[in-house]
Amino acid sequence: MWDERYAVDEYVYGMTPNAFLAEHAGLLSGPVLSVAEGEGRNAAYLASLGLDVLGVDSSAVGLAKAHKLAALKGVAIRTEVADMATYRPPEGAFGAVVSIFAHMPGHVRRRLHGLVAQSLRPGGIILLEAYQKRQLTRDTGGPSELDMLMASSEIEQEFPNFDVLMSREIERDVIEGKFHTGPACVVQFIARRK
C-alpha cells in the first residue's frame, strides 16, 4: 500500500518538515532515528540542521524519494527498509528518535516503542506526533482504525523510564500534503530517557 501511495512524482505528505518537529528540533542530538520516515521530509530537514539521520520505513519507494529530496536540499541521509512489526533498532545507538504520524496496530506500536526506548542513550529524546483517537470522526488525515490512533496516556505508559517534557492532546491545523490537510486532533509527546 505504501509503495503504491508513494509511486507518484509529487511528495504526497509535502516536502517541508512536520511543524511540531521543526518547533522542537533544537532538543535533538544525533544520531537521530526517524521511524516510518516515508518520503524523507523530516529526515532531510534534520540533516539540514547538521544531524546524522537514519530514516527507517517499510517502503523502498518512499525511501528512494527521501534520498532525492535530501539531494535536492544538499544533504545526505541514511535509510533502511524495514517492517516496523519486526524492526529492531540497535540498543543505545541514538541521541534522539522521531516518530511523526507513525501509525500501526497497537501491539506493533507497543513492541516498537519498547525497543525504541532501549535504542536511546541516557538523556536521549523521543519526539512523537500522531493522530489521537478523536481524529477517527474526521476526514483530514490518519488511519480509519481506532487501534492505530493514539492517546497521550498510552504513550506515557509506553515510555516508563523517561522524564516527560510534554504530553498533550490538542487540535491544530495540519497542512502536510494532500493526505494530511485540515483541522486535526493530535497527540504531541516529548520525553527524555533517564
Side-chain angles (χ1 to χ4, degrees):
M1 172 247 173
W2 291 108
D3 280 349
E4 184 177 326
R5 175 164 289 184
Y6 296 144
V8 293
D9 289 336
E10 73 177 299
Y11 282 75
V12 296
Y13 293 104
M15 298 171 71
T16 57
N18 168 267
F20 178 67
L21 172 63
E23 182 182 353
H24 298 284
L27 295 171
L28 308 181
S29 61
V32 179
L33 169 64
S34 180
V35 297
E37 174 56 37
E39 300 168 297
R41 64 195 176 100
N42 296 313
Y45 168 73
L46 293 172
S48 77
L49 301 179
L51 293 166
D52 173 21
V53 185
L54 171 62
V56 178
D57 198 275
S58 62
S59 173
V61 174
L63 293 179
K65 289 174 78 174
H67 282 286
K68 287 181 185 175
L69 182 59
L72 186 67
K73 295 183 178 286
V75 297
I77 60 172
R78 297 179 293 124
T79 59
E80 182 178 343
V81 177
D83 181 343
M84 293 298 108
T86 58
Y87 177 63
R88 295 190 70 85
E91 284 191 32
F94 299 103
V97 175
V98 171
S99 174
I100 302 297
F101 298 116
H103 292 277
M104 55 202 79
H107 72 281
V108 173
R109 185 191 75 239
R110 288 186 292 275
R111 175 199 165 275
L112 180 63
H113 283 178
L115 295 169
V116 158
Q118 295 172 19
S119 79
L120 281 163
R121 299 171 179 155
I125 295 285
I126 172 72
L127 182 149
L128 176 149
E129 183 173 52
Y131 287 114
Q132 59 167 285
K133 295 184 184 298
R134 289 190 306 139
Q135 180 69 12
L136 191 64
T137 60
R138 300 185 178 211
D139 63 356
T140 56
S144 58
E145 296 173 39
L146 188 64
D147 183 51
M148 296 178 77
L149 299 166
M150 300 182 208
S152 57
S153 58
E154 293 172 344
I155 303 306
E156 289 169 24
Q157 291 173 6
E158 290 164 18
F159 291 95
N161 296 312
F162 282 69
D163 291 320
V164 176
L165 307 180
M166 176 188 295
S167 179
R168 64 187 184 187
E169 296 183 1
I170 64 167
E171 291 192 32
R172 76 171 186 90
D173 285 334
V174 176
I175 309 298
E176 300 179 356
K178 69 180 184 181
F179 291 109
H180 288 175
T181 298
C185 301
V186 298
V187 172
Q188 296 179 332
F189 180 79
I190 303 173
R192 178 178 286 117
R193 184 175 181 182
K194 294 178 182 176

